Amino acid sequence: MSESLFDKIGGEGAVDAAVDIFYRKVLNDDSIAHFFDDTDMDGQIAKQKSFLTMAFGGPNEYTGTDMRKAHAPLVEKGLNESHFGAVAGHLQATLQELGVPEELTNEVMAIAGSTHDDVLGL
Amino acid sequence: MIFNNISYQVKKNESVLECLLRCELKIDYSCKTGNCQSCLLKSIAGDVDKKAQKGLKPTAIEQGFFLACQQQAEAIQKAESIDNELIFSHARLVNKQLFSNDICQLIIEPVSPLYYHAGQFINLKNSQGIVRSYSIANIPSEQQLIELHIHKKTNGAMSHWLFNEFNVGDNIDFQGPIGECFYTSENKNKPMILIGTGTGAAPLIGIVRDALKSGHQGLILFYHGARNIEGLYLHDMLSNLDKSHSNFNYLPSISHNDDLLSNLGSNDSAIKIVVGRCNEIAIKKLQPTPQTILYLCGNPEMVNTTRKKAFLAGIASKNIYIDPFEYKDLRKSER
């Protein structure tokens, strides 16, 4: 049996390593920080963690409907294409910072990209 | 939703606590933010949200216990209150002394030994049924005593009761210990920064006592902030610790420069009191390492903004321990 994407990246350990770097980048980006700037930092970190787990091809309970429902309030606040692109950029930069090989990064970005329509409510 | 065998009409998006309070039921609650665990109920039928069981012990989760303030009422078909005896234990007040005009120290003795970590909190419940959380300032010892620091709040029903009507020899119910904000010896060699406002110093001094007893090797910075000098109620004790432990630094500050000079005259301590907000002073001097451990206790706004700033400055999220002192909203209607 071939190793899964999640295992190749480094499993849960990789998610733990990535979550702080990724969330810091997002909060430091003024164009998107307000979507993530909740006083409930634990909740926010938990959300980033489950997002990264999904993007890394790990075990998750996300469905398209969940994605749609979870992001609907943000779409109402003006979440659009450019914000989606910014978050994707931070994800890519996080993976580069962690030294994830290019072909794995591409796979992760493809999974993240597949959420596009649900996240933006299209 | 059926609660204690009576059916209640549930509104969309309200919590179980909101629903029961709206129906004018008398149930225990305090912080309303999912931290204090005083609004614990038991689900008989329904889907309990994950966040309504955050911080609960596995045994409590197995029994279907949940935090009423964090649980959507719509998802619960049937729930009931939990037997008082399962949640509350008893203690006796053995000593009470003033730290300052509006801060006092209570020493209580639980009827049965309590296993706890300094820095965790317990919920006191008085004879009128008011419940409030207070942090434990001392480390476990053979005498089995618990030290709490009480700040007398303006219009604070519980703190006024504790100040004026709770006397040595009296009994009180308590729940706990609760909370994750405490010292672990695996952090022994790591630099540790503690920031507390007001009686946020109570859990922090507990954590420091635990660290020093465990032979903590890393540098410890203790930032205590108060409005005025009187609020720096542990000044002498922390100054002494600073003198006797080379790796412990006490950094007091006051946010209002009313009477700094006149009061300092009578104080021959060598520790300098700075004017400013303790969290801002600490963040300015922050030199984060991947190992740095941060404890934040006291005013919720201070705790939450400092947590975010420290995280953005490079402190790992898992290394930040917080204990925001949420105060009960005294207004009858919702915000």
Side-chain angles (χ1 to χ4, degrees), chain B residues 106-272:
Chain B
L106 302 183
I107 307 285
I108 61 169
E109 182 180 31
V111 289
S112 48
L114 192 66
Y115 180 76
Y116 70 93
H117 297 279
Q120 287 188 291
F121 64 88
I122 57 173
N123 292 329
L124 295 183
K125 182 178 185 178
N126 75 0
S127 51
Q128 292 148 30
I130 304 173
V131 180
R132 291 290 183 281
S133 308
Y134 297 100
S135 296
I136 306 177
N138 66 327
I139 49 178
S141 74
E142 274 177 25
Q143 289 126 312
Q144 295 290 346
L145 300 173
I146 305 287
E147 174 186 343
L148 310 171
H149 301 171
I150 316 296
H151 179 210
K152 187 157 63 174
K153 310 284 295 175
T154 314
N155 298 326
M158 186 63 158
S159 60
H160 278 259
W161 185 88
L162 290 170
F163 259 74
N164 303 325
E165 289 169 57
F166 187 44
N167 298 313
V168 170
D170 290 352
N171 290 315
I172 194 157
D173 287 352
F174 75 92
Q175 170 192 7
I178 303 163
E180 312 279 317
C181 186
F182 53 79
Y183 181 74
T184 48
S185 51
E186 64 187 63
N187 293 333
K188 206 169 169 174
N189 295 313
K190 300 176 182 171
M192 209 161 96
I193 301 171
L194 308 103
I195 306 173
T197 51
T199 46
L204 296 184
I205 187 67
I207 287 160
V208 165
R209 283 166 167 161
D210 205 352
L212 294 177
K213 195 184 172 230
S214 311
H216 188 83
Q217 296 298 308
L219 182 67
I220 304 173
L221 302 179
F222 191 122
Y223 291 91
H224 188 202
R227 197 185 150 81
N228 51 34
I229 296 216
E230 233 207 345
L232 296 174
Y233 66 100
L234 298 175
H235 190 73
D236 292 344
M237 182 204 290
L238 292 169
S239 298
N240 288 335
L241 280 181
D242 185 293
K243 274 178 211 149
S244 58
H245 292 82
S246 58
N247 65 334
F248 178 83
N249 287 350
Y250 167 49
L251 302 130
S253 57
I254 53 172
S255 53
H256 289 70
N257 188 14
D258 301 334
D259 49 5
L260 180 60
L261 291 173
S262 59
N263 262 343
L264 268 188
S266 60
N267 197 335
D268 51 358
S269 156
I271 303 279
K272 199 172 161 239

Side-chain angles (χ1 to χ4, degrees), chain A residues 20 24 37 41-42 45, chain B residues 54 307-308 311 315-317:
Chain A
D20 272 15
R24 229 174 248 132
D37 208 355
M41 210 168 121
D42 291 330
I45 285 178
Chain B
K54 198 181 135 195
R307 179 190 202 187
K308 191 177 144 194
F311 172 70
I315 296 194
S317 58

